Amino acid sequence: MPISILNLSNRSFNALRRANIKTIDDISKISNFELSQKSGIGVKILEEINKSLRILILYLKDDSDKLKLKI
């Protein structure tokens, strides 16, 4: 999935793109520490990314629960 689905601010989105991180899978392969070592990615951007990922996981979890009920 592209990082655009995280609805990040332009600053966070551009920082990830500059770090050549284009997908959720790319983010999942590195730690917060490794991400913080990338140019332009500080505490606030890390917080925003982590918050957006938590929301996405909850959203996907809710969808899977709905699918289970329909089956």
Side-chain angles (χ1 to χ4, degrees):
M1 285 189 255
I3 59 172
S4 59
I5 65 167
L6 294 176
N7 294 320
L8 298 170
S9 66
N10 286 336
R11 182 176 179 201
S12 297
F13 180 80
N14 290 335
L16 288 174
R17 296 292 289 190
R18 282 191 301 274
N20 202 32
I21 297 171
K22 298 176 180 148
T23 66
I24 303 297
D25 188 51
D26 293 340
I27 294 174
S28 69
K29 292 178 181 177
I30 59 176
S31 68
N32 277 332
F33 177 76
E34 291 171 310
L35 195 53
S36 71
Q37 300 303 301
K38 306 285 185 183
S39 178
I41 299 179
V43 174
K44 288 185 180 185
I45 290 177
L46 282 174
E47 288 172 353
E48 181 182 2
I49 292 167
N50 282 306
K51 180 180 176 184
S52 294
L53 287 170
R54 283 192 302 272
I55 291 169
L56 177 65
I57 289 168
L58 290 174
Y59 177 76
L60 292 175
K61 183 181 182 304
D62 286 345
D63 274 355
S64 65
D65 290 346
K66 291 175 187 174
L67 290 174
K68 288 178 186 175
L69 293 174
K70 291 181 180 180
I71 294 176

